[in-house]
Amino acid sequence: MSAPNMDVLVSLAKRRGFIFQSSEIYGGTGSCWDYGPLGVELKQNIKRVWWRDFIQERPDMVGLDASILMHATVWKASGHVDNFTDPMVDCRECKRRFRADQVGDMAWLHFCPATKGNKFTIPAGGPCPHCGATRTLCPECGKGELTAPRQFNLMFKTFMGPVEEDAALTYLRPETAQGIFVNFDNVLQSMRLKLPFGIAQIGKAFRNEITPGNFIFRSREFEQMEIEYFVNPNDRMDGRPADEAIHDTWIEACRAWFVRYGLAADHMKFHEHETAELAHYSKRTVDILYKFPMGWSELMGIANRTDFDLKQHSKFSGKSLTYFDEERKEHIVPFVIEPSAGVDRALLAFLLDAYQEEEVRGEKRVLLRLHRELAPITIAVLPLLKKRPEIVSTAHELRTRLAKRWRTVYDDTAAIGRLYRRQDEVGTPYCVTVDVKTVGDREKGEAGDGKVTIRERDSMEQIRVPLADLDTIFGRLMGETAWSEVAAAYPRAEG
Ligand code: ATP
């Protein structure tokens, strides 16, 4: 299935409380986004499973949470002050700003002299079909000349302390990685680690992007999940330098992680950086691209940063940042492999891949087939009749009980069919319905059967289960047990 149009997703994200434009009531910023009640759950789930899978479950990984504001020299040593730039051009007419290296990839507006100045939008890179001209002017307004490219540093400047003077100048971090490098020795000594080992961090990063856009794909404030995996470059694995072999292992581990949580394997591909494209610190970089609606674009990068960062920080700080190789009895500077993923881009890809429209009994059903561990709501408890106090109170009690272990909500604001559709649209994998049979009818002297209906999102199958079994059932479903296996043990309920 092909990914939905971005506008469809942006609209769903706003309507259902996933993502709002920042400062919307003031006209919005267009370059920053706020995560709403469901968005924040989805985002936390992505970070939680990433942290669990790559840090907590591995013996060779530890975590870190470094500050966003750091000593200004960090950014001189890392090369960001001198190199973290993009070439930009400005339109002299409409004053819009573009990345010089991207302006040729945009569709452009053209007032065609061969058709009395009629306005056309010409596809990127192509000539006007009427007059044959190629783009020279501003692609957006079609009128202004563009300035010559100038280098623009993407770091946000700020001042530490009460005086706005050069001595107090520092930057909002443009990546989380440097917080790890400057703490290398602290972590090494305090945790008594042996190579190879990794330090991971999740946190905000800030880049004054020239052309933010494509929803949360490129914003000026975003979150990263980064690992710096330190390797002894003198070691050998599979007949080659350990850093090269371990780099390949991480590339595959990252790809497999995205597949595990729902991305279709054929919606991803690798991009091997050409020598000219490599960052100043990199020996080899491979990006994982995802088939976003605007085309194949970077989801994450996995770089071999060599010993560049540790050596630079050692040089600028005067502190030794080495590791003592017991076997060879020598101090070495480790090489580092860096899997670096954007939380927001991952979230966008998971949403795009999960989005599905289908027809059910002549009606359109929109659903997010989010992985059960990512879905913002795991269980929705729904009363079939909200006028029956016993049904409502049983449903509330159930929500309270299940919410201790899973994100569980109660909803009685519509008829059951509509409630199911709403939960499908936000990706809730399981709904539990409490009905008359569950609680019985005291007036008629009928006892309840103490059973509820569980409905599974993707198959829409429903099973009838005792209330007492719910914790075990959801424990299994949220573990490795498939729905079909759990469902086989219980009678089907009518849909
Ligand atoms: P791009 O080429 O798209 O600008 P990059 O190569 O500069 O990205 P890295 O410096 O490798 O990106 O950052 C690692 C990851 O952080 C990216 O793969 C992406 O997922 C995320 N990221 C980087 N910049 C942004 C941004 N402006 N908005 C959202 N996520 C970002």
Side-chain angles (χ1 to χ4, degrees), residues 84 86 99 102 154 174-175 205-207 209 212 216-226 273 281 285 287-288 297-302 305 338-346:
F84 198 57
D86 275 338
R99 262 174 67 171
Q102 288 177 351
L154 301 185
E175 61 175 29
F206 304 83
R207 295 182 188 180
E209 298 279 4
I216 54 172
F217 176 83
R218 189 182 302 287
S219 50
R220 294 195 169 118
E221 175 177 341
F222 56 98
E223 248 178 305
Q224 291 185 311
M225 308 187 277
E226 292 197 301
H273 282 221
Y281 50 74
T285 296
D287 291 338
I288 298 181
S297 312
E298 179 178 329
L299 177 61
M300 71 171 296
I302 304 118
R305 292 178 81 128
E338 178 192 71
S340 171
V343 180
D344 313 78
R345 277 190 201 177

Side-chain angles (χ1 to χ4, degrees), residues 323-394:
Y323 173 87
F324 187 65
D325 181 343
E326 298 279 356
E327 201 183 309
R328 300 179 183 89
K329 303 285 177 232
E330 60 178 0
H331 287 274
I332 57 124
V333 182
F335 269 32
V336 68
I337 305 301
E338 178 192 71
S340 171
V343 180
D344 313 78
R345 277 190 201 177
L347 187 144
L348 180 59
F350 284 130
L351 277 179
L352 287 162
D353 241 70
Y355 185 92
Q356 190 167 323
E357 287 179 12
E358 57 184 36
E359 207 181 288
V360 177
R361 295 190 207 109
E363 275 188 42
K364 181 167 118 177
R365 176 167 97 118
V366 173
L367 77 158
L368 291 180
R369 284 181 182 266
L370 286 170
H371 187 277
R372 60 189 184 283
E373 290 205 77
L374 299 188
I377 300 166
T378 309
I379 307 163
V381 179
L382 313 171
L384 195 70
L385 293 172
K386 69 171 170 180
K387 289 196 190 111
R388 292 283 298 270
E390 315 90 275
I391 293 183
V392 170
S393 62
T394 304

